[in-house]
Amino acid sequence: MAENANALVGDTASLSINIQGRDEMVIVTARGAARELSRELGFGIVDQTRVATAISEIIRNVVQYASEGEVQFRVIEENGQPGLEMVVVDQGPGIADVERVLRGGYSTGNGFGRGISGARTLMDDFELQSEVGRGTRVWMRKWLR
Amino acid sequence: MAENANALVGDTASLSINIQGRDEMVIVTARGAARELSRELGFGIVDQTRVATAISEIIRNVVQYASEGEVQFRVIEENGQPGLEMVVVDQGPGIADVERVLRGGYSTGNGFGRGISGARTLMDDFELQSEVGRGTRVWMRKWLR
Amino acid sequence: MNIPVLQIERFLIVSVQGELKDNDVTALQQNLLERLRRTEAAGVLIDLTAVEVVDSYMGRLLRDTAAMIRLMGVPTVVVGLRPAVAVTLVELGLDLPGIHTDLNLERGLTWLRTQMR
Amino acid sequence: MNIPVLQIERFLIVSVQGELKDNDVTALQQNLLERLRRTEAAGVLIDLTAVEVVDSYMGRLLRDTAAMIRLMGVPTVVVGLRPAVAVTLVELGLDLPGIHTDLNLERGLTWLRTQMR
Ligand SMILES: Nc1ncnc2c1ncn2[C@@H]1O[C@H](COP(=O)(O)OP(=O)(O)O)[C@@H](O)[C@H]1O
Ligand SMILES: Nc1ncnc2c1ncn2[C@@H]1O[C@H](COP(=O)(O)OP(=O)(O)O)[C@@H](O)[C@H]1O
C-alpha cells in the first residue's frame, strides 16, 4: 500500500480551473472534477458518489450564500494510506451558529438543513470554521480503503 | 433557443478549483470538470467526449511542458446559440513553430504530435498563441447544436 | 435544464437528465398539472437513470414534486435510482417517504398498472 | 494506476481502468511478457469498457502495447471501445492499425478462439 500511495502522491503539476456561470454550472463543474479525481485515485463507485455529493453540498452553499469561492483538491497520504483532501473557502457572510448547523436540520434557506451535516457523514474527516462577516472554510478528507 | 440560452448563460457565481498533484491527477480533474459541465449544458455523449478529449490534450501539454497553468470555463451564447468556451494559459517555454504544430505530426516529446491539431479538429473554434520564453494560450469553443 | 415529460400508455414519464433547480421544478409541476388534467393520466414515473448524484437540495425538489403529484391523486414511482445514490441519500439522512421506487422503467410501469382501478 | 492482468481459459485479459502512463505501460508490458511465457497464453484481450476518454497520448500507449504483444506472436483484440471514443480517435487522426476490435468480452474471446491453431 505504501508503494501504491507513493505512486499517487506528489506535486508535479498544478492547475487552476476557473468557472463562472449560473449556480448549477459551477456546482456540476466542481462535482465532475471531484468525481473524476476520486475515480482515478481508485475510489469505488459508492465512495466516488459520497465525495461528489459532499462537494456538491458544500459548493451549493458557497454559490448560494457567498456567490464566489475556492476549492483546493489534494491527493494525500498518511501511514501509507492514500486519500483525497478537499478544502472549500469563501469570503461570504459566515455562519453564526456553527454547532447548530453541524447538528443538522437547521436551514435559513428553504433546504432540508442537511447539507453540512450530510457532507460530514459522507466524508471521513470534516471540519467547519466560520466567522460572521469574514467567511467560511470547510476541510474534508476521504481515505481510500 | 434564445430563451434556452438565456437560461444557461449568466454570471451568477464563480469558483476557482485548484488541483496540485501528479500529471494524470491534474489531467483527469480538468477533464471531469469539462465533461460534467458540457453534459449539464446539454451536449450529447459524442460532443462531451470531444470536449473532454480536447481539454485532455491541451492540459497534458501544460503539465508536460509548463508544469502549471490555468483553465477558464465559460458558458457563452452567440445569436441565441449556447456554447462552451475554454481558455488554457501557461507561462511555460512556449512553442517556436506554431504553424508546424497546428499542422500536426510534429512532436518534441515522444507523442504522436496529434494533440494540438487533434484538439483543433474536435472543437468548433480554436486559436493557439504562443511566444517562446513567455508561454502559451489556447482558446477553444464548442457550440451546442 | 428543461425536463421532458413523455407519455407511455396512460402514464407520464419524467426523465431527469441533469441538475434540478427550483424553477425547473416549478415549470415541471405546471407541465405535469396540465398534462394530468388533459390526458387523464393514471400515474407518473420519474426516471433517475441518468442522475449520478442527488444531494440534499435535489432530494428536496424530488420529494416536493412527488408530493405534488400525490396531492393530485395519482400514484408516483421513482425508477433507476443508482445503488450508490440510494446509499448516499440514506447517509445524508434523507429518504423519499411514501414514494414507491422500482428498479427500472418496465417494472415501474408494471407497478403503475397494478395501481389502476 | 496498476493495470490488472486476469486469465480466462488460455487468454490474458487486460482491463484498463483509468489514465495510462508511460511507466504503467512499461510495467504492464513486463507483466504480460512474463505471463505469456509462463502460461503459454494464446491471446491477449484489452478491455476498454471503463475508459471514457482516449486522447492521443493514451492512444499511443495502447498502440505500443498492442505492437509489443504482436511482436511476441500472439493475437490481440481490443473490446469495449465506446462509440464516442471511436469517433474521437478517428477525428484525432489516430487509429489502432492492425488491431482487431470487437464489441465486448464474449465476442472478443470468441474471436481469439478462432485464432488458435
Ligand atoms: N458558505 C456559507 N456561508 C454562509 N452561510 C452558510 C454557508 N453554508 C451554510 N450556511 C448556513 O448554514 C445553514 C445550513 O446549511 P446546510 O446544512 O447546508 O443546509 P441548507 O443548505 O439546506 O440550508 C444554511 O441555511 C445557511 O444559513
Ligand atoms: N503548452 C505548451 N508549452 C510548450 N510547448 C508546447 C505546449 N504544447 C505543445 N507544445 C509543443 O508542441 C508540440 C506538439 O504538441 P502536440 O500537438 O500536443 O503533440 P505531442 O504532445 O504529442 O507532442 C509538442 O511536442 C511541444 O514541443
Side-chain angles (χ1 to χ4, degrees), chain B residues 9-23:
Chain B
V9 185
D11 286 358
T12 57
S14 77
L15 189 73
S16 151
I17 304 169
N18 299 301
I19 160 83
Q20 261 170 52
R22 295 176 59 88
D23 292 2

Side-chain angles (χ1 to χ4, degrees), chain B residues 61-62 65 90 93-95 101 106-109 111-116 136:
Chain B
N61 285 343
V62 168
Y65 302 110
D90 70 57
I95 301 171
V101 161
Y106 168 74
S107 175
T108 62
F112 270 125
R114 290 254 165 268
I116 288 174
T136 302

Side-chain angles (χ1 to χ4, degrees), chain B residues 22 24 27-28 31 35 45-46 49-50 52-53 56-57 60 64 110-112 114-115 117-119 121-122, chain D residues 19-23 52-61 63 83-85 87-88 91-95:
Chain B
R22 295 176 59 88
E24 67 276 12
I27 295 164
V28 299
R31 182 195 290 167
R35 176 188 279 282
I45 182 72
V46 178
T49 306
R50 286 189 179 113
T53 309
S56 201
E57 297 288 358
R60 195 181 291 285
Q64 196 163 343
N110 56 352
F112 270 125
R114 290 254 165 268
S117 61
T121 321
L122 295 172
Chain D
E19 194 57 17
L20 290 179
K21 284 157 287 163
D22 273 320
N23 44 348
E52 291 180 353
V53 170
V54 176
D55 65 8
S56 65
Y57 173 81
M58 206 165 144
R60 179 180 70 76
L61 295 181
R63 194 201 52 177
V85 172
V87 169
T88 50
E91 288 175 347
L92 278 175
L94 304 181
D95 47 3

Side-chain angles (χ1 to χ4, degrees), chain C residues 83-108:
Chain C
V85 173
V87 169
T88 49
L89 275 177
V90 170
E91 288 176 346
L92 278 175
L94 304 181
D95 47 2
L96 301 172
I99 302 181
H100 182 79
T101 56
D102 229 319
L103 203 62
N104 55 34
L105 193 73
E106 284 91 320
R107 288 176 58 164

Side-chain angles (χ1 to χ4, degrees), chain A residues 3-10 40-41 75 82 144, chain B residues 21-22 25, chain D residues 1:
Chain A
E3 196 186 338
N4 190 25
N6 274 344
L8 295 170
V9 185
E40 178 69 17
L41 257 163
V75 178
L144 193 67
Chain B
R22 295 176 59 88
M25 300 294 166
Chain D
M1 188 50 56

Side-chain angles (χ1 to χ4, degrees), chain A residues 54-88:
Chain A
I55 201 74
S56 201
E57 297 288 358
I58 303 305
I59 302 297
R60 195 182 291 285
N61 285 343
V62 169
V63 299
Q64 195 163 342
Y65 302 109
S67 96
E68 59 180 80
E70 224 182 288
V71 197
Q72 175 83 45
F73 290 115
R74 221 159 54 91
V75 178
I76 50 171
E77 197 247 288
E78 220 172 80
N79 306 322
Q81 189 173 35
L84 174 62
E85 181 178 83
M86 308 190 285
V87 183
V88 183

Side-chain angles (χ1 to χ4, degrees), chain A residues 50 56-57 60 110 112, chain C residues 19 55-56 60 63 91:
Chain A
R50 287 189 179 112
S56 201
E57 297 288 358
R60 195 182 291 285
N110 56 352
F112 269 125
Chain C
E19 194 57 16
D55 65 7
S56 65
R60 179 181 68 78
R63 193 202 52 177
E91 288 176 346

Side-chain angles (χ1 to χ4, degrees), chain D residues 6-20:
Chain D
L6 311 173
Q7 188 165 358
I8 296 186
E9 297 166 28
R10 292 187 51 209
F11 308 116
L12 299 180
I13 318 282
V14 178
S15 194
V16 181
Q17 298 294 332
E19 194 57 17
L20 290 179

